[in-house]
Protein backbone atom coordinates (compact mmCIF):
# COMPACT_ATOMS: atom_id res chain seq x y z
CA UNK A 1 0.00 0.00 0.00
CA UNK A 2 1.29 3.43 -0.88
CA UNK A 3 1.66 5.80 2.03
CA UNK A 4 0.34 9.33 2.52
CA UNK A 5 3.44 10.80 4.15
CA UNK A 6 3.97 14.42 3.23
CA UNK A 7 0.34 15.17 2.40
CA UNK A 8 -0.91 18.57 3.58
CA UNK A 9 -3.95 17.99 5.81
CA UNK A 10 -6.17 20.81 7.11
CA UNK A 11 -8.37 19.76 10.06
CA UNK A 12 -11.12 21.94 11.52
CA UNK A 13 -12.40 21.54 15.05
CA UNK A 14 -8.94 20.24 15.90
CA UNK A 15 -8.82 21.38 19.51
CA UNK A 16 -10.78 18.56 21.11
CA UNK A 17 -12.45 15.21 20.60
CA UNK A 18 -12.52 13.78 17.11
CA UNK A 19 -10.44 16.64 15.68
CA UNK A 20 -7.63 16.01 18.15
CA UNK A 21 -7.68 12.27 17.41
CA UNK A 22 -7.64 13.01 13.68
CA UNK A 23 -4.58 15.21 14.09
CA UNK A 24 -2.65 12.53 15.96
CA UNK A 25 -3.64 9.81 13.48
CA UNK A 26 -2.65 11.81 10.41
CA UNK A 27 0.58 12.85 12.12
CA UNK A 28 1.39 9.20 12.77
CA UNK A 29 0.84 8.61 9.04
CA UNK A 30 3.50 11.24 8.27
CA UNK A 31 1.22 14.04 7.08
CA UNK A 32 1.90 17.75 7.48
CA UNK A 33 -0.92 19.32 9.48
CA UNK A 34 -2.81 22.58 9.79
CA UNK A 35 -5.11 22.79 12.82
CA UNK A 36 -8.08 25.15 12.95
CA UNK A 37 -10.41 26.00 15.81
CA UNK A 38 -11.47 28.93 17.94
CA UNK A 39 -9.34 28.21 21.03
CA UNK A 40 -5.61 28.75 20.71
CA UNK A 41 -4.95 26.94 23.98
CA UNK A 42 -6.86 23.82 22.90
CA UNK A 43 -5.14 23.80 19.51
CA UNK A 44 -1.76 24.23 21.17
CA UNK A 45 -2.43 21.14 23.27
CA UNK A 46 -3.29 19.18 20.12
CA UNK A 47 -0.10 20.51 18.53
CA UNK A 48 1.91 19.17 21.47
CA UNK A 49 0.28 15.76 21.05
CA UNK A 50 1.13 15.79 17.35
CA UNK A 51 4.74 16.61 18.12
CA UNK A 52 4.84 13.83 20.71
CA UNK A 53 4.27 11.28 17.93
CA UNK A 54 6.91 12.89 15.71
CA UNK A 55 4.59 15.07 13.64
CA UNK A 56 4.43 18.75 12.82
CA UNK A 57 1.44 21.09 12.85
CA UNK A 58 0.76 24.78 12.32
CA UNK A 59 -2.16 26.61 13.91
CA UNK A 60 -4.72 28.65 11.97
CA UNK A 61 -7.16 30.13 14.50
CA UNK A 62 -10.61 30.70 13.03
CA UNK A 63 -14.33 30.44 13.56
CA UNK A 64 -15.35 28.34 10.55
CA UNK A 65 -18.76 30.01 10.41
CA UNK A 66 -17.10 33.34 9.52
CA UNK A 67 -16.22 33.67 5.83
CA UNK A 68 -13.45 36.23 6.38
CA UNK A 69 -11.80 34.17 9.11
CA UNK A 70 -11.92 31.05 6.93
CA UNK A 71 -10.30 32.94 4.06
CA UNK A 72 -7.53 34.23 6.31
CA UNK A 73 -6.98 30.80 7.84
CA UNK A 74 -6.74 29.19 4.40
CA UNK A 75 -4.22 31.79 3.26
CA UNK A 76 -2.11 31.03 6.34
CA UNK A 77 -2.35 27.29 5.75
CA UNK A 78 -1.38 27.61 2.09
CA UNK A 79 1.55 29.86 2.98
CA UNK A 80 2.84 27.35 5.52
CA UNK A 81 2.09 24.03 3.83
CA UNK A 82 1.32 24.78 0.20
CA UNK A 83 -1.92 23.63 -1.40
CA UNK A 84 -4.16 21.51 0.82
CA UNK A 85 -4.24 17.87 -0.25
CA UNK A 86 -6.84 16.76 2.31
CA UNK A 87 -9.47 18.91 4.02
CA UNK A 88 -11.17 17.38 7.05
CA UNK A 89 -14.36 19.28 7.91
CA UNK A 90 -14.78 18.17 11.50
CA UNK A 91 -15.87 21.27 13.45
CA UNK A 92 -19.30 20.76 14.96
CA UNK A 93 -21.60 21.95 17.72
CA UNK A 94 -25.07 21.58 19.17
CA UNK A 95 -27.26 23.58 21.52
CA UNK A 96 -28.43 22.51 24.95
CA UNK A 97 -31.91 23.96 24.25
CA UNK A 98 -32.21 22.13 20.96
CA UNK A 99 -35.82 20.96 20.59
CA UNK A 100 -38.71 22.82 18.96
CA UNK A 101 -40.30 23.68 22.32
CA UNK A 102 -37.29 25.68 23.50
CA UNK A 103 -35.19 26.31 20.35
CA UNK A 104 -34.29 29.95 19.73
CA UNK A 105 -33.40 31.50 16.36
CA UNK A 106 -29.93 32.31 17.70
CA UNK A 107 -29.24 28.74 18.81
CA UNK A 108 -30.54 27.37 15.50
CA UNK A 109 -28.28 29.71 13.54
CA UNK A 110 -25.23 28.92 15.68
CA UNK A 111 -25.59 25.19 15.04
CA UNK A 112 -26.29 25.46 11.31
CA UNK A 113 -23.51 28.03 10.82
CA UNK A 114 -20.82 25.80 12.31
CA UNK A 115 -22.08 22.41 11.12
CA UNK A 116 -23.10 23.28 7.56
CA UNK A 117 -21.96 26.77 6.61
CA UNK A 118 -18.47 26.00 7.98
CA UNK A 119 -17.89 22.95 5.75
CA UNK A 120 -19.18 24.92 2.76
CA UNK A 121 -16.78 27.80 3.43
CA UNK A 122 -13.74 25.57 3.96
CA UNK A 123 -14.57 23.47 0.91
CA UNK A 124 -14.94 26.57 -1.23
CA UNK A 125 -11.51 27.70 -0.03
CA UNK A 126 -9.64 24.55 -1.07
CA UNK A 127 -11.50 23.47 -4.21
CA UNK A 128 -9.94 25.89 -6.74
CA UNK A 129 -6.38 24.65 -6.13
CA UNK A 130 -7.54 21.02 -6.02
CA UNK A 131 -9.34 21.55 -9.31
CA UNK A 132 -6.23 23.04 -10.86
CA UNK A 133 -4.07 20.13 -9.64
CA UNK A 134 -6.79 17.61 -10.54
CA UNK A 135 -6.35 15.98 -7.16
CA UNK A 136 -7.70 16.34 -3.65
CA UNK A 137 -9.79 14.75 -0.94
CA UNK A 138 -12.46 16.26 1.31
CA UNK A 139 -13.55 14.33 4.41
CA UNK A 140 -16.63 15.53 6.29
CA UNK A 141 -17.45 14.29 9.78
CA UNK A 142 -21.24 14.28 9.78
CA UNK A 143 -23.43 11.98 11.88
CA UNK A 144 -25.91 9.16 11.85
CA UNK A 145 -28.32 12.05 12.52
CA UNK A 146 -27.72 12.94 8.88
CA UNK A 147 -28.96 9.55 7.71
CA UNK A 148 -32.25 9.42 9.62
CA UNK A 149 -34.25 11.21 12.29
CA UNK A 150 -33.19 10.80 15.92
CA UNK A 151 -35.03 12.93 18.46
CA UNK A 152 -32.06 13.32 20.77
CA UNK A 153 -30.13 15.35 18.18
CA UNK A 154 -32.62 18.19 17.73
CA UNK A 155 -33.82 19.72 14.45
CA UNK A 156 -30.92 22.13 13.85
CA UNK A 157 -28.25 19.46 14.23
CA UNK A 158 -30.25 16.93 12.23
CA UNK A 159 -30.85 19.34 9.36
CA UNK A 160 -27.23 20.47 9.31
CA UNK A 161 -25.91 16.91 9.13
CA UNK A 162 -28.37 15.98 6.37
CA UNK A 163 -27.06 19.04 4.56
CA UNK A 164 -23.47 17.96 5.03
CA UNK A 165 -24.18 14.59 3.43
CA UNK A 166 -25.87 16.31 0.50
CA UNK A 167 -23.00 18.77 0.14
CA UNK A 168 -20.49 15.91 0.00
CA UNK A 169 -22.53 14.14 -2.67
CA UNK A 170 -22.66 17.24 -4.84
CA UNK A 171 -18.88 17.63 -4.62
CA UNK A 172 -18.49 14.13 -6.01
CA UNK A 173 -21.11 14.77 -8.69
CA UNK A 174 -19.51 18.01 -9.89
CA UNK A 175 -15.83 17.66 -9.05
CA UNK A 176 -15.13 13.95 -9.56
CA UNK A 177 -14.20 14.67 -13.18
CA UNK A 178 -11.47 16.95 -11.82
CA UNK A 179 -9.89 14.22 -9.70
CA UNK A 180 -11.48 15.47 -6.47
CA UNK A 181 -13.14 13.04 -4.09
CA UNK A 182 -15.44 13.63 -1.14
CA UNK A 183 -16.18 11.27 1.76
CA UNK A 184 -18.79 11.70 4.48
CA UNK A 185 -18.34 9.80 7.77
CA UNK A 186 -21.60 9.34 9.68
CA UNK A 187 -20.86 7.97 13.17
CA UNK A 188 -23.34 7.24 15.90
CA UNK A 189 -22.69 8.38 19.44
CA UNK A 190 -19.04 9.34 19.95
CA UNK A 191 -17.58 10.06 23.38
CA UNK A 192 -16.60 13.70 22.86
CA UNK A 193 -17.21 17.00 24.72
CA UNK A 194 -20.22 17.80 22.46
CA UNK A 195 -22.19 15.34 24.59
CA UNK A 196 -21.95 17.83 27.44
CA UNK A 197 -24.42 20.08 25.59
CA UNK A 198 -27.20 17.50 25.82
CA UNK A 199 -30.09 18.30 28.14
CA UNK A 200 -29.07 15.11 29.99
CA UNK A 201 -25.38 14.41 29.33
CA UNK A 202 -24.43 10.72 29.24
CA UNK A 203 -22.72 9.20 32.25
CA UNK A 204 -19.06 8.13 32.20
CA UNK A 205 -20.25 4.52 32.02
CA UNK A 206 -22.37 5.28 28.96
CA UNK A 207 -19.53 7.15 27.27
CA UNK A 208 -17.16 4.24 27.85
CA UNK A 209 -19.16 1.96 25.55
CA UNK A 210 -19.63 4.56 22.80
CA UNK A 211 -17.52 4.99 19.69
CA UNK A 212 -14.26 6.71 20.64
CA UNK A 213 -12.64 9.62 18.77
CA UNK A 214 -9.71 7.40 17.78
CA UNK A 215 -12.14 5.09 15.98
CA UNK A 216 -13.30 7.92 13.72
CA UNK A 217 -9.70 8.99 13.12
CA UNK A 218 -8.83 5.48 12.00
CA UNK A 219 -11.73 5.52 9.53
CA UNK A 220 -10.61 8.88 8.13
CA UNK A 221 -7.05 7.68 7.57
CA UNK A 222 -8.35 4.47 5.99
CA UNK A 223 -10.52 6.42 3.55
CA UNK A 224 -7.57 8.63 2.72
CA UNK A 225 -5.66 5.59 1.53
CA UNK A 226 -8.70 4.25 -0.31
CA UNK A 227 -9.87 7.45 -1.99
CA UNK A 228 -6.85 9.67 -2.44
CA UNK A 229 -4.39 6.98 -3.49
CA UNK A 230 -6.69 4.59 -5.31
Amino acid sequence: MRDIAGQAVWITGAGTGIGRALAVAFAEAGCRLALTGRSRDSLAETQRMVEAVGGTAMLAIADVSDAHQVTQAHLAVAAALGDVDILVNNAGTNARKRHWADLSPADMAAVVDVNLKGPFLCSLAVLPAMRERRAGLLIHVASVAGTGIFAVSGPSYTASKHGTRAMSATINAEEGIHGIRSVCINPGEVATPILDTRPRPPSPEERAIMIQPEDIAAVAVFWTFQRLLA
Side-chain angles (χ1 to χ4, degrees):
M1 181 179 290
R2 297 164 62 189
D3 65 43
I4 57 173
Q7 296 283 305
V9 182
W10 183 18
I11 302 171
T12 70
T16 60
I18 294 172
R20 178 168 287 174
L22 285 162
V24 172
F26 276 107
E28 289 175 333
C31 297
R32 298 173 297 123
L33 304 181
L35 310 178
T36 287
R38 290 178 291 190
S39 169
R40 182 177 295 276
D41 289 344
S42 295
L43 291 177
E45 178 58 28
T46 301
Q47 186 181 44
R48 286 190 285 272
M49 295 174 68
V50 165
E51 292 171 348
V53 298
T56 60
M58 60 85 63
L59 307 186
I61 313 300
D63 178 345
V64 296
S65 69
D66 184 295
H68 176 71
Q69 291 187 41
V70 169
T71 297
Q72 294 305 116
H74 177 245
L75 289 173
V77 172
L81 303 182
D83 291 336
V84 173
D85 297 301
I86 305 161
L87 168 66
V88 186
N89 278 316
N90 167 72
T93 190
N94 206 345
R96 185 175 299 277
K97 295 182 178 181
R98 62 182 61 177
H99 300 293
W100 284 111
D102 56 10
L103 181 64
S104 71
D107 282 342
M108 176 278 296
V111 172
V112 174
D113 280 356
V114 172
N115 293 359
L116 183 57
K117 181 181 174 183
F120 262 97
L121 292 175
C122 294
S123 298
L124 285 168
V126 302
L127 280 171
M130 289 182 175
R131 197 178 296 122
E132 185 175 344
R133 299 195 319 274
R134 303 190 64 80
L137 174 65
L138 300 93
I139 300 174
H140 318 282
V141 180
S143 170
V144 69
T147 68
I149 306 301
F150 302 90
V152 68
S153 303
S156 305
Y157 188 88
T158 300
S160 68
K161 295 303 184 178
H162 273 76
T164 301
R165 287 185 63 226
M167 182 196 72
S168 178
T170 63
I171 292 171
N172 282 321
E174 295 186 19
E175 302 292 351
I177 59 172
H178 302 127
I180 298 167
R181 304 185 184 198
S182 185
V183 174
C184 202
I185 301 173
N186 302 295
E189 292 183 310
V190 185
T192 70
I194 197 173
L195 296 176
D196 295 331
T197 65
R198 282 189 179 177
R200 187 193 72 81
S203 68
E205 292 76 18
E206 290 170 323
R207 296 182 198 222
I209 62 174
M210 291 178 181
I211 299 168
Q212 299 301 308
E214 293 76 16
D215 300 325
I216 307 305
V219 171
V221 172
F222 169 80
W223 275 112
T224 300
F225 281 109
Q226 295 295 312
R227 297 292 186 178
L228 189 62
L229 300 178

